[in-house]
Amino acid sequence: RNFRVLTSPDPCQFVSLAVDPTGEVVCAGSVDTFQIFIWSLKTGRLLDILAGHQGPVTSLAFSPESTVLVSGSWDKTVR
C-alpha cells in the first residue's frame, strides 16, 4: 500500500478536504488558523498555504474541468 503523511508547519485541525481532478494535489481547510494548505500527493510536500478567510474554512471544491479551487468559510464568504 502507498501512504503519504501530510503535515503542516504548526499543529492545526482540518475540517474540509478536496482533491483536484487529476489526483495530484490535495487541499485541506483549517478550523483554527483559517488557512488552506495545499500538498502534492506525489511527493507529500507542502506546496502552499493560502490565507484570506476570517473564520474556519469549512468547504473546499475543485472545478471538475480546471484547477480552480473554491473555498467557503464561517465568515460568510466564498473565495
Side-chain angles (χ1 to χ4, degrees):
R1 296 195 236 187
N2 294 321
F3 290 96
R4 283 268 179 239
V5 176
L6 306 174
T7 60
S8 60
D10 298 307
C12 63
Q13 294 180 339
F14 297 113
V15 68
S16 56
L17 184 75
V19 179
D20 81 319
T22 66
E24 295 180 9
V25 174
V26 65
C27 300
S30 172
V31 73
D32 43 11
T33 66
F34 313 150
Q35 297 171 316
I36 299 168
F37 295 79
I38 303 173
W39 295 272
S40 164
L41 282 178
K42 284 186 175 182
T43 65
R45 198 174 118 242
L46 183 63
L47 301 174
D48 204 356
I49 300 173
L50 306 177
H53 283 294
Q54 302 300 311
V57 181
T58 55
S59 302
L60 291 172
F62 276 98
S63 167
E65 291 101 26
S66 69
T67 57
V68 174
L69 175 69
V70 178
S71 61
S73 171
W74 283 3
D75 66 7
K76 300 180 184 174
T77 63
V78 174
R79 297 179 183 267

